[in-house]
Coordinates of all heavy atoms in Angstrom, one line a residue:
F1 N 5.6 -9.2 -8.4 CA 5.6 -8.5 -9.8 C 6.9 -8.5 -10.5 O 7.0 -8.2 -11.7 CB 4.9 -7.2 -9.6 CG 3.5 -7.2 -9.4 CD1 2.9 -6.6 -8.2 CD2 2.5 -7.7 -10.3 CE1 1.6 -6.7 -8.0 CE2 1.2 -7.8 -10.1 CZ 0.8 -7.2 -8.8
E2 N 8.0 -8.7 -9.6 CA 9.3 -8.7 -10.3 C 9.5 -9.8 -11.3 O 10.4 -9.7 -12.2 CB 10.4 -8.8 -9.2 CG 10.6 -7.6 -8.4 CD 11.6 -7.7 -7.2 OE1 12.1 -8.9 -7.0 OE2 11.8 -6.8 -6.5
S3 N 8.6 -10.8 -11.2 CA 8.7 -11.9 -12.2 C 8.4 -11.5 -13.6 O 8.6 -12.2 -14.6 CB 7.7 -13.0 -11.8 OG 6.4 -12.6 -11.9
R4 N 7.9 -10.3 -13.8 CA 7.5 -9.7 -15.0 C 8.7 -9.1 -15.8 O 8.6 -8.7 -17.0 CB 6.4 -8.7 -15.0 CG 5.2 -9.3 -14.3 CD 4.4 -10.2 -15.1 NE 3.4 -11.1 -14.5 CZ 2.3 -11.5 -15.0 NH1 1.9 -11.2 -16.2 NH2 1.5 -12.2 -14.3
G5 N 9.8 -9.0 -15.2 CA 11.1 -8.7 -15.9 C 11.4 -7.2 -16.0 O 12.4 -6.9 -16.7
W6 N 10.8 -6.4 -15.2 CA 11.1 -5.0 -15.3 C 12.2 -4.7 -14.3 O 12.4 -5.2 -13.2 CB 9.9 -4.1 -14.9 CG 8.8 -4.3 -15.8 CD1 7.7 -5.1 -15.5 CD2 8.6 -3.7 -17.1 NE1 6.8 -5.1 -16.7 CE2 7.4 -4.2 -17.6 CE3 9.3 -2.9 -17.9 CZ2 6.9 -3.9 -18.8 CZ3 8.9 -2.5 -19.1 CH2 7.7 -3.0 -19.6
S7 N 13.1 -3.8 -14.7 CA 14.2 -3.4 -13.9 C 13.9 -2.5 -12.7 O 12.8 -1.9 -12.7 CB 15.3 -2.7 -14.7 OG 14.9 -1.4 -15.0
R8 N 14.7 -2.4 -11.7 CA 14.4 -1.5 -10.6 C 14.3 -0.1 -11.0 O 13.5 0.7 -10.5 CB 15.5 -1.7 -9.5 CG 15.4 -3.0 -8.8 CD 16.4 -3.1 -7.6 NE 16.3 -4.3 -6.9 CZ 17.0 -4.6 -5.7 NH1 17.8 -3.7 -5.2 NH2 16.9 -5.7 -5.1
Q9 N 15.1 0.2 -12.0 CA 15.1 1.6 -12.6 C 13.7 1.9 -13.2 O 13.1 3.0 -13.1 CB 16.2 1.9 -13.5 CG 17.6 1.9 -12.9 CD 18.2 0.5 -12.5 OE1 17.5 -0.6 -13.0 NE2 19.3 0.4 -11.7
E10 N 13.2 1.0 -14.0 CA 12.0 1.1 -14.6 C 10.8 1.1 -13.6 O 9.9 1.9 -13.8 CB 11.8 -0.1 -15.6 CG 12.7 0.0 -16.9 CD 12.7 -1.3 -17.7 OE1 12.6 -2.3 -17.1 OE2 12.9 -1.1 -18.9
W11 N 10.9 0.3 -12.6 CA 9.9 0.2 -11.6 C 9.9 1.6 -10.9 O 8.8 2.2 -10.6 CB 10.1 -0.9 -10.6 CG 9.1 -1.1 -9.7 CD1 8.9 -0.5 -8.4 CD2 8.0 -2.0 -9.8 NE1 7.7 -1.0 -7.8 CE2 7.2 -1.9 -8.6 CE3 7.6 -2.9 -10.7 CZ2 6.0 -2.7 -8.4 CZ3 6.4 -3.7 -10.5 CH2 5.7 -3.6 -9.3
A12 N 11.0 2.2 -10.5 CA 11.1 3.5 -9.9 C 10.6 4.6 -10.7 O 9.9 5.5 -10.3 CB 12.6 3.7 -9.4
A13 N 10.9 4.6 -12.0 CA 10.5 5.6 -12.9 C 9.0 5.6 -13.1 O 8.3 6.6 -13.1 CB 11.1 5.3 -14.3
A14 N 8.4 4.4 -13.0 CA 6.9 4.3 -13.1 C 6.3 4.9 -11.8 O 5.3 5.5 -11.9 CB 6.5 2.8 -13.3
R15 N 7.0 4.6 -10.7 CA 6.5 5.2 -9.4 C 6.4 6.7 -9.6 O 5.5 7.3 -9.1 CB 7.4 4.7 -8.3 CG 6.9 3.5 -7.7 CD 7.7 3.3 -6.3 NE 7.2 2.2 -5.5 CZ 7.6 1.9 -4.3 NH1 8.5 2.7 -3.7 NH2 7.2 0.9 -3.6
E16 N 7.5 7.2 -10.1 CA 7.6 8.7 -10.2 C 6.5 9.2 -11.1 O 5.8 10.3 -10.8 CB 8.9 9.1 -10.7 CG 10.0 8.9 -9.8 CD 11.5 9.3 -10.3 OE1 11.4 9.9 -11.5 OE2 12.5 9.0 -9.7
R17 N 6.1 8.6 -12.1 CA 5.1 9.0 -13.1 C 3.7 8.9 -12.4 O 2.9 9.9 -12.5 CB 5.1 8.2 -14.3 CG 6.4 8.4 -15.2 CD 6.2 7.7 -16.6 NE 5.9 6.3 -16.7 CZ 6.8 5.4 -16.6 NH1 8.2 5.7 -16.6 NH2 6.5 4.0 -16.7
L18 N 3.5 7.9 -11.6 CA 2.2 7.7 -11.0 C 2.1 8.7 -9.8 O 1.0 9.3 -9.5 CB 2.1 6.3 -10.4 CG 1.9 5.2 -11.5 CD1 1.9 3.8 -10.9 CD2 0.7 5.4 -12.3
S19 N 3.2 9.0 -9.2 CA 3.2 10.0 -8.0 C 2.9 11.3 -8.6 O 2.1 12.1 -8.0 CB 4.6 10.0 -7.3 OG 4.8 8.8 -6.7
A20 N 3.4 11.7 -9.8 CA 3.2 13.0 -10.4 C 1.7 13.1 -10.8 O 1.2 14.2 -10.8 CB 4.1 13.2 -11.6
R21 N 1.0 12.0 -11.0 CA -0.4 12.1 -11.2 C -1.2 12.0 -10.0 O -2.5 12.0 -10.0 CB -0.8 10.9 -12.1 CG -0.3 10.9 -13.5 CD -0.5 9.5 -14.3 NE -1.9 9.3 -14.4 CZ -2.4 8.2 -15.0 NH1 -1.5 7.3 -15.4 NH2 -3.7 7.9 -15.1
G22 N -0.6 12.0 -8.8 CA -1.3 12.0 -7.6 C -2.0 10.6 -7.2 O -2.8 10.5 -6.4
L23 N -1.3 9.5 -7.8 CA -1.9 8.2 -7.6 C -1.1 7.5 -6.5 O -1.6 6.4 -6.1 CB -1.8 7.5 -8.9 CG -2.6 8.1 -10.1 CD1 -2.5 7.3 -11.3 CD2 -4.1 8.2 -9.6
L24 N 0.1 7.9 -6.1 CA 0.9 7.1 -5.2 C 1.3 8.0 -4.0 O 1.7 9.2 -4.2 CB 2.1 6.5 -5.8 CG 2.0 5.4 -6.8 CD1 3.4 4.8 -7.1 CD2 1.1 4.3 -6.3
E25 N 1.4 7.5 -2.8 CA 2.0 8.2 -1.6 C 3.5 8.0 -1.8 O 4.0 7.2 -2.5 CB 1.5 7.5 -0.4 CG 0.0 7.5 -0.2 CD -0.5 8.9 0.3 OE1 0.3 9.8 0.3 OE2 -1.7 9.0 0.6
P26 N 4.3 8.8 -1.0 CA 5.7 8.6 -1.0 C 6.3 7.3 -0.7 O 7.3 6.9 -1.1 CB 6.2 9.7 0.0 CG 5.1 10.7 0.1 CD 3.8 10.0 -0.1

């Protein structure tokens, strides 16, 4: 999925948002 051009910071921020919704494990 890195081929879609998002930075590591943007990917990490999305992880945080999804985790806050209870959608991702640590």
Side-chain angles (χ1 to χ4, degrees):
F1 288 116
E2 287 178 358
S3 65
R4 303 286 166 148
W6 300 99
S7 70
R8 291 188 178 184
Q9 292 79 9
E10 289 167 326
W11 189 272
R15 272 192 171 189
E16 290 180 5
R17 294 193 298 274
L18 294 175
S19 295
R21 291 172 60 183
L23 302 176
L24 291 189
E25 301 284 5

